[in-house]
Amino acid sequence: MNLARVDGNVTTTVCHRSLQGWRLLICQPVDGDGVASGDPILAVDTLGAGFGQIVMLTSDGLNTRKVVGDDHSPLRYTVLAIVDDKEEAERAS
């Protein structure tokens, strides 16, 4: 699982059949401090995440194919949760 910030959504007029009718988000992976790390990811959202929110993503393509109901979907990422708050444990020095 990865943490990511929702940076936007995608609207398409011509797309793979498995993408039709789904809300697709542009998610920027972030590290534990909320700093962007890596390239943006396209994810299926079934939870209604909003712009700027931190979400938990899974890269389990099998799960995503089950969500969209298409065994041949090119999508890999799905929003699993919207993060309300996070707390880090103190690290031993």
Side-chain angles (χ1 to χ4, degrees):
M1 277 184 270
N2 304 305
L3 288 177
R5 181 188 62 241
V6 177
D7 280 356
N9 64 339
V10 174
T11 303
T12 64
T13 53
V14 178
C15 62
H16 190 273
R17 66 182 181 275
S18 68
L19 307 181
Q20 295 173 352
W22 290 101
R23 187 164 186 258
L24 303 174
L25 299 180
I26 301 168
C27 296
Q28 174 62 54
V30 295
D31 64 16
D33 295 323
V35 177
S37 62
D39 296 325
I41 293 170
L42 189 62
V44 174
D45 178 33
T46 61
L47 303 177
F51 180 77
Q53 286 188 303
I54 301 297
V55 294
M56 290 173 50
L57 301 176
T58 179
S59 61
D60 182 352
L62 179 60
N63 177 68
T64 302
R65 290 189 291 276
K66 285 182 181 178
V67 168
V68 299
D70 187 326
D71 291 340
H72 302 288
S73 177
L75 287 170
R76 182 174 175 185
Y77 291 89
T78 304
V79 175
L80 289 180
I82 300 170
V83 176
D84 294 326
D85 194 13
K86 65 180 182 73
E87 181 177 322
E88 292 189 33
E90 286 188 37
R91 296 184 183 158
S93 52

